[in-house]
Amino acid sequence: MADYHFVYKDVEGASTQWDDIQRKLGNLPEKPPAFKPAPFTPANDQASLPKDKSWIDEKTEQDLEDLEDNPDLDDDRFLEEYRKKRLAELRETAKVARFGSVVPISGSDFVREVSQAPADVWVVVILYKEGIAECGVLMQCLEDLAAKYPATKFVKIISTDCIPNYPDCNVPTVLVYNSGAVKANHVGLRSFGRKCTPEGVALVLCQSDPVLNDGQSGSGRSRKAVIDGVRKRFIEKVVTEHENDDDGSSSD
């Protein structure tokens, strides 16, 4: 007949009086702490959190469209109106901020990219040649303006691709288009002043028409409003450069 041996184990962490005495004498290691589970903290229920303007502001355009039939907004007229307003703002921003750089085009692209551009879009075209220093200077200014005014379209094309046999002495040349027509042309770097800067180029471009659009002030701005904004940027840069010069001279 088989022998059965039973091993009895006490509750984990339990200790006898004898073990306690031995620990005091240093004959046994310290008793490990009893297991204690972390306190339970229920996860936040996103649906139960209060909804306000910041909750709407965090949503993407797609999220806001999905909320159109959300029952939580049916009883909150303010949030529903704010949702519509925010959605319209996102759509307008996506519509106007569609450029932002000087895009290269070829002769075959010219009609589609320039002449057939929408009537509410101003197009700035630079005719250039590689290896001509003046073209590089003006190109850098236009890159800066393209980033600041993303609702204005900037394109570049090699001069002879646009106009066969166009003289190199005339580059860089800038053409300004709107509604399929040439509104202005500026031949040579000297057209933009003795010192070519983005602010100076902006002032020249807006001499007769509201060419530059930052996409934040709505379409249909008057020439005066645009030129005032360009002048403000120009003055701010001049003041900043003057202050920097003063700081440099004082440190000497």
Side-chain angles (χ1 to χ4, degrees), residues 17-55:
Q17 188 176 11
W18 173 254
D19 290 338
D20 293 339
I21 293 173
Q22 293 302 311
R23 287 193 176 90
K24 288 181 180 180
L25 296 175
N27 296 331
L28 288 177
E30 288 295 324
K31 183 173 65 172
F35 171 75
K36 186 178 180 181
F40 173 73
T41 303
N44 289 330
D45 182 6
Q46 295 296 325
S48 65
L49 294 177
K51 297 175 177 59
D52 52 17
K53 288 179 63 176
S54 60
W55 180 75

Side-chain angles (χ1 to χ4, degrees), residues 125-179:
V125 186
I126 175 173
L127 279 58
Y128 74 104
K129 268 289 185 69
E130 295 288 355
I132 297 180
E134 289 84 353
C135 293
V137 173
L138 183 55
M139 190 75 72
Q140 187 59 49
C141 292
L142 294 181
E143 287 284 3
D144 186 89
L145 293 178
K148 291 178 180 176
Y149 300 96
T152 296
K153 187 174 186 178
F154 288 80
V155 299
K156 62 182 179 180
I157 182 171
I158 295 174
S159 57
T160 49
D161 285 353
C162 182
I163 305 173
N165 302 317
Y166 193 71
D168 287 353
C169 61
N170 287 347
V171 296
T173 293
V174 171
L175 307 176
V176 179
Y177 274 77
N178 183 250
S179 299

Side-chain angles (χ1 to χ4, degrees), residues 21 27 39 60 66-67 80 92 153:
I21 293 173
N27 296 331
T60 64
D66 294 341
L67 287 173
E80 174 59 19
E92 182 67 17
K153 187 174 186 178

Side-chain angles (χ1 to χ4, degrees), residues 36 39 69 101 144 161 184 223 234:
K36 186 178 180 181
D69 298 321
S101 63
D144 186 89
D161 285 353
R223 172 185 169 276
F234 181 79

Side-chain angles (χ1 to χ4, degrees), residues 69-247:
D69 298 321
N70 191 305
D72 292 340
L73 299 184
D74 290 343
D75 298 330
D76 194 324
R77 183 176 179 181
F78 169 76
L79 275 185
E80 174 59 19
E81 291 299 321
Y82 188 69
R83 181 194 70 83
K84 293 178 180 178
K85 178 184 176 184
R86 180 63 179 152
L87 183 58
E89 290 174 350
L90 291 176
R91 286 173 174 169
E92 182 67 17
T93 299
K95 183 178 73 171
V96 298
R98 48 189 158 179
F99 306 117
S101 63
V102 181
V103 179
I105 64 172
S106 64
S108 59
D109 300 327
F110 195 91
V111 172
R112 182 183 70 253
E113 297 293 337
V114 179
S115 302
Q116 295 178 352
D120 63 337
V121 173
W122 286 86
V123 186
V124 177
V125 186
I126 175 173
L127 279 58
Y128 74 104
K129 268 289 185 69
E130 295 288 355
I132 297 180
E134 289 84 353
C135 293
V137 173
L138 183 55
M139 190 75 72
Q140 187 59 49
C141 292
L142 294 181
E143 287 284 3
D144 186 89
L145 293 178
K148 291 178 180 176
Y149 300 96
T152 296
K153 187 174 186 178
F154 288 80
V155 299
K156 62 182 179 180
I157 182 171
I158 295 174
S159 57
T160 49
D161 285 353
C162 182
I163 305 173
N165 302 317
Y166 193 71
D168 287 353
C169 61
N170 287 347
V171 296
T173 293
V174 171
L175 307 176
V176 179
Y177 274 77
N178 183 250
S179 299
V182 178
K183 299 297 183 180
N185 64 84
H186 309 280
V187 179
L189 193 63
R190 292 183 179 179
S191 301
F192 300 98
R194 186 174 58 181
K195 183 180 179 182
C196 187
T197 64
E199 293 74 21
V201 173
L203 285 171
V204 172
L205 290 177
C206 295
Q207 279 181 347
S208 57
D209 295 291
V211 175
L212 300 178
N213 185 352
D214 60 8
Q216 304 298 318
S217 308
S219 58
R221 297 178 71 200
S222 67
R223 172 185 169 276
K224 182 179 183 303
V226 173
I227 203 74
D228 286 347
V230 171
R231 281 174 176 161
K232 180 181 178 183
R233 287 177 185 252
F234 181 79
I235 293 171
E236 287 173 349
K237 182 172 182 179
V238 171
V239 170
T240 301
E241 290 178 347
H242 182 69
E243 290 175 346
N244 290 339
D245 291 342
D246 289 345
D247 292 341

